[in-house]
Amino acid sequence: MIDLRSDTVTTPTPNMRRAMAEAAVGDDVYGEDPTVNKLEDEAAALLGKEASLFLPSGTMANQVAVMTHTRPGDEVLVEAEAHIYYYEVGGIARLSGAQPRPIGGKAGRLQPDQVKAALRPADIHFPNASLLCVENTHNRAGGAIWTAEEVAAVADVAHAAGLKVHMDGARVFNAAVALGTPVSELVQSVDSIMFCLSKGLAAPMGSMLVGSREFIDRARKNRKLLGGGLRQVGVVAAAGRVALQEMIDRLADDHENARLLQRGLSEVAGLMPHAPSTNMVMVDVVRPGLSAADVGRRLKAAGVLTNAVGPQRLRLVTHKDVSREDCERAITAFAEVVSA
Ligand SMILES: *Cc1c(COP(=O)(O)O)cnc(C)c1O
């Protein structure tokens, strides 16, 4: 099977498995797991922030961030298709008791004017807006990128109004590699960042929440509240350390394979692939009478797995477990099933 559903399907590398087997461990709720402590120090240093926290998933890391930045009844400004709002089971409302305020963005990005327009003056009727969330790269916008300047422009507006800014950077290293910008520069203007070790970086699990020492100390308590305090978790943090050391630069290969897929599929009548920014290709099925689900089903029978993200749209995600040859085979399979 050629699995283009998501970069979450990546399996740990031999170096990761070796590091996991040999990891020094301790009880991380006591702060005594040396491997977790090293990973947290390394992640904070890489992003140019004071401290970081290892969490089981990106969803928990995002929701811990919201809980730590807000109080119940606050308003959280989010882009309307953002993962933190769209795909996290209503966690902003349910776990933090905060009110999400969705704002329609362009390719996942918000303009400074839109943020300004969403901010309301102090008034007895209005909730207290305390947090703005941005997503880089933007998942539902097909791996779209914000530059450091674009992030800073909206962060400045939010900060001027007293809001904090959280970046859902599940794939922030894809953005950094595609732009050729150090990741520390991309996150410089935000107060907290979540990134996933478990996607393109290929660790079996884990996400990091990164920010100031004071913020991370409070986030650690909220992680415990949500049941995310783990014990000898150095066994998986060890794979996360390998991910940061060995798996970032190679994301460029995934971006190259995404461009290869886009070029190949643009030759297939009945398909309209969008130009990728990073490791995702959105493909619109434009042959009358044929849905994305139809194409997905036929591709599966031909050994290619994809995800339908809309009635006429398939999402393809490249990652370390699909080679250039796999992508070429996928293009052939697409041509066969769409013309059949
Ligand atoms: C995958 C993803 C998450 C959540 O990560 P999980 O580890 O799957 O919970 C959050 N935000 C974005 C943009 C994602 O793509």
Side-chain angles (χ1 to χ4, degrees):
M1 279 289 183
I2 298 168
D3 198 341
L4 295 166
R5 288 173 301 169
S6 177
D7 47 12
T8 56
V9 303
T10 45
T11 53
T13 64
N15 279 352
M16 287 180 184
R17 289 188 182 271
R18 209 167 301 122
M20 292 171 79
E22 293 166 4
V25 296
D27 189 329
D28 183 48
V29 174
Y30 291 163
E32 290 175 3
D33 190 300
T35 307
V36 173
N37 292 341
K38 276 187 189 148
L39 173 62
E40 290 180 345
D41 288 347
E42 288 160 359
L46 187 58
L47 271 67
K49 303 287 186 195
E50 287 173 4
S52 90
L53 186 65
F54 179 81
L55 292 104
S57 72
T59 300
M60 190 187 282
N62 272 340
Q63 295 301 328
V64 162
V66 172
M67 188 175 279
T68 308
H69 282 306
T70 63
R71 296 202 305 184
D74 281 359
E75 188 166 75
V76 178
L77 307 186
V78 293
E79 196 280 324
E81 303 254 329
H83 193 286
I84 203 166
Y85 170 68
Y86 199 100
Y87 285 127
E88 299 190 9
V89 208
I92 293 176
R94 185 160 178 187
L95 300 172
S96 295
Q99 163 171 287
R101 174 107 180 264
I103 308 170
K106 207 170 129 209
R109 289 186 295 273
L110 297 174
Q111 302 302 317
D113 288 352
Q114 291 182 286
V115 175
K116 213 172 275 174
L119 293 166
R120 290 174 282 178
D123 182 290
I124 195 168
H125 298 88
F126 299 151
N128 173 47
S130 56
L131 180 64
L132 167 71
C133 298
V134 297
E135 185 172 316
N136 200 14
T137 66
H138 195 288
N139 186 333
R140 282 188 61 81
I145 295 172
W146 299 56
T147 64
E149 293 73 25
E150 287 166 335
V151 176
V154 296
D156 287 351
V157 172
H159 285 145
L163 281 72
K164 299 290 187 190
V165 181
H166 171 68
M167 180 186 286
D168 176 346
R171 297 184 180 82
V172 73
F173 290 102
N174 291 87
V177 166
L179 291 166
T181 304
V183 70
S184 56
E185 221 169 281
L186 271 189
V187 304
Q188 199 167 14
S189 61
V190 303
D191 301 286
S192 61
I193 314 96
M194 179 284 277
F195 72 85
C196 291
L197 297 162
S198 55
K199 293 187 172 166
L201 301 183
M205 67 173 275
S207 290
M208 306 304 295
L209 183 60
V210 189
S212 70
R213 168 63 58 195
E214 181 272 337
F215 170 80
I216 292 297
D217 287 347
R218 289 188 295 119
R220 191 175 292 277
K221 186 147 182 161
N222 286 329
R223 181 186 69 173
K224 189 77 181 109
L225 170 65
L226 296 183
L230 301 172
R231 303 299 177 176
Q232 286 73 32
V233 72
V235 168
V236 283
R241 295 188 66 209
V242 175
L244 293 184
Q245 284 155 18
E246 300 182 358
M247 304 302 285
I248 294 173
D249 293 343
R250 64 150 308 287
L251 294 172
D253 299 344
D254 300 341
H255 301 169
E256 177 59 37
N257 283 336
R259 289 191 291 270
L260 175 96
L261 277 172
Q262 192 269 337
R263 279 196 303 275
L265 296 177
S266 67
E267 311 271 297
V268 178
L271 296 179
M272 281 244 310
H274 298 229
S277 305
T278 50
N279 69 330
M280 291 186 192
V281 190
M282 295 299 198
V283 183
D284 289 339
V285 178
V286 295
R287 216 189 83 184
L290 199 62
S291 71
D294 295 333
V295 175
R297 226 175 359 255
R298 294 181 194 176
L299 282 170
K300 186 175 178 184
V304 179
L305 299 177
T306 57
N307 255 338
V309 293
Q312 296 302 129
R313 182 168 290 184
L314 291 168
R315 189 189 73 169
L316 314 183
V317 186
T318 54
H319 53 78
K320 73 136 178 95
D321 292 335
V322 291
S323 64
R324 187 183 173 88
E325 293 69 38
D326 289 336
C327 292
E328 283 162 353
R329 294 218 313 272
I331 293 165
T332 306
F334 259 101
E336 280 166 11
V337 307
V338 173
S339 66

